[in-house]
Amino acid sequence: MTFAYCNTQTGAPMTLGDKIRSLRAVEGSLRGLNRPMTQQEMAAAMKRETGRTLSQAYLSQLESGSRPHLTHTTRELLARFFRIYPGFLVSDPEGYTPELQSELRAIDAKIDSWLYAGAEQFASDKDLHRAFETIAKHHDSRQALLLLAEILRAPGLAERLTEVLRPNTSQGSAHPPPETAR
């Protein structure tokens, strides 16, 4: 199934409601329903899968446009449920087209989606889950990953940072303690 970047009926930028409706359609297809997931099904699935939910009435208000904005908590919950970048869940400004996004911004969105998916995949490992989520929430997750790569390339820097930032975590790890200069 292809995800729409504009209102398929009018070609206009998508509102938040358009995006949620489109995501429900994709979700229904992914779950083998061969139809859009209903708002009620979505609310029940959210409760089962995330432990939190939104009411069908609230989802209806979002889709109809009578509630055009989300709280940060609601945006994060919807992004987690749909496994998408939270920044997608806003109405597009007038005159918006996908071509206006820079290549780096598109890459950042892909990186964030990948990081959120990783956080969900490793939900049972709370430290790894938190690490993925922390990087995804950083305003420039691409730069954060590039910085991590540079830290790991510098001999001994990761170990020294671990000693300073998390002094008790190296004890009992599978890695030997860092060598000290004599």
Side-chain angles (χ1 to χ4, degrees):
M1 170 168 262
T2 303
F3 189 77
Y5 286 102
C6 64
N7 184 310
T8 53
Q9 273 101 12
T10 66
M14 293 180 77
T15 65
L16 173 62
D18 293 332
K19 291 179 179 185
I20 293 173
R21 267 189 303 282
S22 183
L23 288 165
R24 280 194 304 108
V26 169
E27 198 65 29
S29 176
L30 291 173
R31 292 171 186 252
L33 299 176
N34 297 322
R35 60 172 173 74
M37 182 179 247
T38 67
Q39 293 169 345
Q40 195 64 43
E41 290 168 332
M42 181 179 150
M46 286 176 82
K47 181 70 171 170
R48 255 189 335 271
E49 296 167 22
T50 68
R52 297 171 36 217
T53 193
L54 301 173
S55 71
Q56 182 276 325
Y58 184 62
L59 290 170
S60 178
Q61 290 173 345
L62 291 171
E63 288 187 25
S64 71
S66 62
R67 293 197 68 145
H69 303 289
L70 298 173
T71 64
H72 176 73
T73 303
T74 301
R75 179 174 287 106
E76 293 291 325
L77 176 61
L78 286 169
R80 183 174 172 202
F81 176 73
F82 288 123
R83 293 177 179 88
I84 60 166
Y85 176 62
F88 178 74
L89 293 169
V90 296
S91 293
D92 294 333
E94 198 59 44
Y96 169 84
T97 64
E99 293 80 33
L100 293 177
Q101 283 190 334
S102 71
E103 187 175 329
L104 281 180
R105 186 172 173 137
I107 290 170
D108 281 344
K110 286 179 184 179
I111 291 169
D112 288 344
S113 293
W114 174 76
L115 288 164
Y116 279 111
E120 290 306 310
Q121 184 176 357
F122 295 103
S124 62
D125 182 332
K126 68 177 185 169
D127 290 335
L128 192 54
H129 175 84
R130 190 180 77 230
F132 272 105
E133 214 169 59
T134 300
I135 297 169
K137 288 179 180 177
H138 189 273
H139 74 279
D140 188 349
S141 52
R142 179 181 178 277
Q143 188 61 39
L145 285 172
L146 294 174
L147 175 62
L148 176 59
E150 291 305 315
I151 290 169
L152 295 174
R153 278 190 198 113
L157 181 56
E159 292 80 8
R160 291 192 308 268
L161 286 171
T162 299
E163 288 174 7
V164 172
L165 299 174
R166 299 179 73 194
N168 297 325
T169 58
S170 61
Q171 295 174 356
S173 76
H175 301 287
E179 293 181 22
T180 55
R182 294 177 199 228

